[in-house]
Amino acid sequence: ARSCGFHLLALDLRQNSDVHERVIADLFTQSSELIDYLGMSESERCSLLFAELANDRILRWDYASYSDETRKELRIVDAAAEIVKTFGPEAFGAYVISKAGSVSDILEPLVLLKQAGLVRGGPQPHCMMKISPLFETIGDLEAAPEIMKKWLGNFAVRSLMGRPALQEVMLGYSDSNKDGGYTSSRWSLHKASKAIKAVCDKAGMQLRLFHGRGGSVGRGGGPAFAAILAQPEGTVGGQIRVTEQGEMIARKFGNVVTAHKTLDSFAAATFLATVPKAEGGAPSADAVFEEKFTPLMDQIHARSFEAYRGLVYDDPHFLDFFHTVTPVDEVSNLKIGSRPASRTSSGKIEDLRAIPWVFAWSQTRFMLPGWYGFAAAVRELKIGDDVLHEMMQWDFFEVFIANMEMALAKTDMEIAGLYADLAGEPAEAKRIYAKIKAEFDDTMALVLRLRGASHLLSTHERLRNQIERANPLLGSLNRLQVYLLGIRRQGNKHKLVQLAMQLTVNGIASALRNTG
């Protein structure tokens, strides 16, 4: 109780900004003022929401005919209020706002929490819970500094923060990768971290970054120690939050010894990342490299983004390729995730959640979210190996390449070709597969040149040996899965076929270790 409080472990709340928008609109529409919230501009919404926080009334009333969604959200915040009343505000870590894309997206949950008494309105409103906007897509990450500037510049924010004033911001690795590819995602996250820190410093606000990493490279995975050390200087500041998900929880915290080592690694990396890398106020070597190569990384990001979007979103046949070549539909029906596989029933890639997106590509051994687009950018910009070798002295770029190298080592284009034979449009699938294979070959050759080696993971021999030992059995599981997918697509829905399919999914995931 002394260590953790009576609540033991703090919970986070998390909801999508689109849900908040609909719920707040419902509350305003059925209030005494009959306000058309959805018809307002962003500035009008912000003025209205700040005004609502500046008074002590609540919008809800027991006799309104709210939608089922609104009633559900009100029940959730009521339950949260009861927990706070019983165990205190420390029982919650933060209220995370998914798909935050504006200041009104940050204000809406505050008004919602006010309906349960978790926000006290008035000239100096106060919130009993930290509010963490989550910036997920490439566009949201690019807009994040300006959104935070507008948010922190408002008079009411300081009192809402409580004391000590601390702004937590969550960064989404998975959706930014699905949106723009590995290269664009990692660079956008790096730049956003640095820019948000500058905004908070100017506002006199302490910042804590919350990194929403998954297990796979495509979802921000990779060695946590190196990832923390590679954060932009000054952004760690003695504290960091990260997510651990799926099979990575058991791997890192499955027993006492492993858990101690994991926590030691996190603590050490956080301390080292906080200590200035240079003395006497002089810029560190890493800061010099960052300043020198930021313009080039901006160009690489732009070209990589174009290459990735050109394949995934602009090719009219890619959606069919993805759904027929990968086991995404089978994975979606396994009920192994915490949320539905897709946000809507559209089947579109933009509506698919990042976990099944990455998981499906891992199962097929394409590993596309972990590497596609970088070589295309280097090729188009005609960047010489001498420049890239110099960039390898920059912590961010070295970790960026190391994680890509790990994804490439787990890719097997021969196995991927077996899955490509399942495609619903064989001619188009052959074309798309050839395009991915050519990009893979270029990326492999580029990484090998950077490492000056004849094989991948030359600096991580233990990991390379583990992958090589697993490959024969892994290949057998992949071939069995391809066979099972084939007979399932022909209409065989027997429960034993389904069980066998589940076992191959589990076996491939276990062998790859960080699938999604």
Side-chain angles (χ1 to χ4, degrees):
R2 282 196 301 270
S3 299
C4 302
F6 283 108
H7 59 272
L8 188 61
L9 296 174
L11 294 172
D12 281 352
L13 292 175
R14 177 169 167 173
Q15 186 54 280
N16 193 298
S17 61
D18 293 338
V19 175
H20 294 144
E21 181 183 78
R22 292 193 295 269
V23 170
I24 294 301
D26 199 11
L27 289 171
F28 275 123
T29 299
Q30 301 194 54
S31 70
S32 59
E33 297 177 30
L34 304 176
I35 295 169
D36 178 17
Y37 182 75
L38 295 179
M40 289 182 165
S41 65
E42 169 64 12
S43 60
E44 290 172 333
R45 288 185 181 188
C46 289
S47 297
L48 175 65
L49 294 169
F50 272 122
E52 194 59 39
L53 293 171
N55 65 61
D56 56 6
R57 69 170 184 178
I58 60 172
L59 290 169
R60 70 190 293 185
W61 61 297
D62 293 340
Y63 303 104
S65 55
Y66 296 131
S67 68
D68 291 341
E69 182 177 56
T70 298
R71 293 187 182 279
K72 175 186 173 185
E73 295 303 311
L74 288 172
R75 286 197 300 271
I76 290 171
V77 294
D78 285 342
E82 190 62 31
I83 290 172
V84 169
K85 180 180 177 181
T86 306
F87 299 106
E90 296 300 319
F92 287 101
Y95 192 115
V96 178
I97 308 157
S98 296
K99 289 181 67 180
S102 65
V103 174
S104 65
D105 287 341
I106 304 175
L107 288 166
E108 286 163 356
L110 288 167
V111 173
L112 176 61
L113 291 171
K114 187 184 171 200
Q115 311 312 306
L118 289 169
V119 169
R120 185 186 69 241
Q124 291 187 317
H126 174 70
C127 184
M128 297 183 188
M129 198 178 295
K130 297 292 182 190
I131 298 293
S132 297
L134 166 53
F135 300 106
E136 299 182 85
T137 66
I138 300 297
D140 287 346
L141 287 167
E142 291 174 346
E146 187 60 28
I147 292 170
M148 294 308 299
K149 182 179 178 181
K150 291 177 181 177
W151 164 243
L152 295 176
N154 192 277
F155 72 96
V157 170
R158 189 71 55 165
S159 63
L160 282 166
M161 292 291 172
R163 294 181 181 178
L166 173 70
Q167 176 64 64
E168 182 175 286
V169 175
M170 189 172 182
L171 302 173
Y173 286 68
S174 307
D175 280 282
S176 59
N177 183 291
K178 183 166 71 73
D179 183 40
Y182 173 73
T183 304
S184 291
S185 170
R186 289 302 174 91
W187 181 238
S188 296
L189 286 158
H190 187 85
K191 286 191 74 175
S193 300
K194 190 175 178 181
I196 292 169
K197 178 64 168 65
V199 168
C200 288
D201 286 348
K202 190 171 183 179
M205 185 71 67
Q206 189 178 2
L207 171 68
R208 177 167 63 213
L209 289 174
F210 184 4
H211 299 268
R213 304 168 76 237
S216 66
V217 171
R219 296 190 59 237
F225 186 87
I228 294 172
L229 287 182
Q231 294 301 309
E233 284 192 60
T235 58
V236 176
Q239 57 181 329
I240 193 168
R241 284 191 82 192
V242 296
T243 54
E244 292 292 0
Q245 304 175 32
E247 71 274 14
M248 304 305 293
I249 296 173
R251 276 190 60 197
K252 294 184 177 181
F253 301 95
N255 58 66
V256 173
V257 174
T258 302
H260 279 168
K261 287 183 177 179
T262 299
L263 293 173
D264 284 348
S265 176
F266 271 104
T270 302
F271 293 145
L272 290 171
T274 301
V275 175
K277 296 182 180 181
E279 297 180 0
S284 66
D286 204 56
V288 171
F289 283 122
E290 175 141 352
E291 183 177 1
K292 180 177 181 178
F293 291 118
T294 287
L296 182 56
M297 274 306 302
D298 285 339
Q299 294 180 59
I300 292 174
H301 149 65
R303 298 298 183 274
S304 174
F305 183 82
E306 290 171 2
Y308 174 85
R309 298 283 301 193
L311 173 71
V312 174
Y313 292 96
D314 297 341
D315 190 316
H317 300 279
F318 187 83
L319 182 62
D320 181 79
F321 179 84
F322 171 65
H323 277 286
T324 57
V325 165
T326 74
V328 64
D329 295 328
E330 285 74 15
V331 167
S332 301
N333 292 326
L334 289 180
K335 312 301 183 189
I336 57 174
S338 59
R339 288 164 287 174
S342 184
R343 293 185 174 93
T344 71
S345 58
S346 71
K348 294 180 180 178
I349 291 171
E350 47 265 53
D351 294 327
L352 185 72
R353 293 189 188 276
I355 293 175
W357 165 258
V358 173
F359 200 105
W361 287 117
S362 300
Q363 290 282 308
T364 59
R365 307 294 295 282
F366 275 96
M367 298 291 181
L368 186 134
W371 55 266
Y372 192 91
F374 176 68
V378 171
R379 190 170 59 245
E380 186 175 339
L381 293 168
K382 297 181 172 59
I383 303 172
D385 288 357
D386 54 337
V387 174
L388 294 171
H389 277 111
E390 187 180 1
M391 292 177 75
M392 290 293 286
Q393 300 175 65
W394 177 18
D395 285 350
F396 162 80
F397 194 76
E398 204 285 328
V399 171
F400 166 81
I401 293 295
N403 286 331
M404 185 193 300
E405 186 177 6
M406 182 170 66
L408 290 168
K410 296 182 179 184
T411 303
D412 188 323
M413 291 306 296
E414 181 182 347
I415 292 292
L418 300 178
Y419 286 88
D421 290 338
L422 297 170
E425 300 175 328
E428 295 297 340
K430 187 175 181 180
R431 174 184 61 79
I432 293 172
Y433 174 82
K435 186 174 182 178
I436 296 173
K437 175 70 164 59
E439 184 67 15
F440 171 78
D441 291 342
D442 281 358
T443 310
M444 275 277 291
L446 179 57
V447 171
L448 290 177
R449 291 201 308 273
L450 284 176
R451 292 295 188 199
S454 59
H455 56 265
L456 293 171
L457 299 175
S458 58
T459 58
H460 293 85
E461 290 294 335
R462 183 179 177 185
L463 177 58
R464 184 172 70 87
N465 290 335
Q466 288 174 346
I467 293 172
E468 287 181 352
R469 284 198 303 271
N471 268 337
L473 289 174
L474 186 53
S476 298
L477 281 173
N478 279 123
R479 288 178 172 85
L480 177 57
Q481 188 179 85
V482 170
Y483 168 73
L484 291 168
L485 279 170
I487 62 175
R488 278 177 63 84
R489 302 273 168 85
Q490 292 168 11
N492 189 329
K493 304 297 182 182
H494 194 281
K495 62 181 181 180
L496 290 180
V497 173
Q498 182 178 359
L499 175 61
M501 185 69 200
Q502 292 172 345
L503 290 173
T504 63
V505 168
N506 190 52
I508 292 169
S510 298
L512 291 173
R513 295 171 68 95
N514 49 7
T515 56

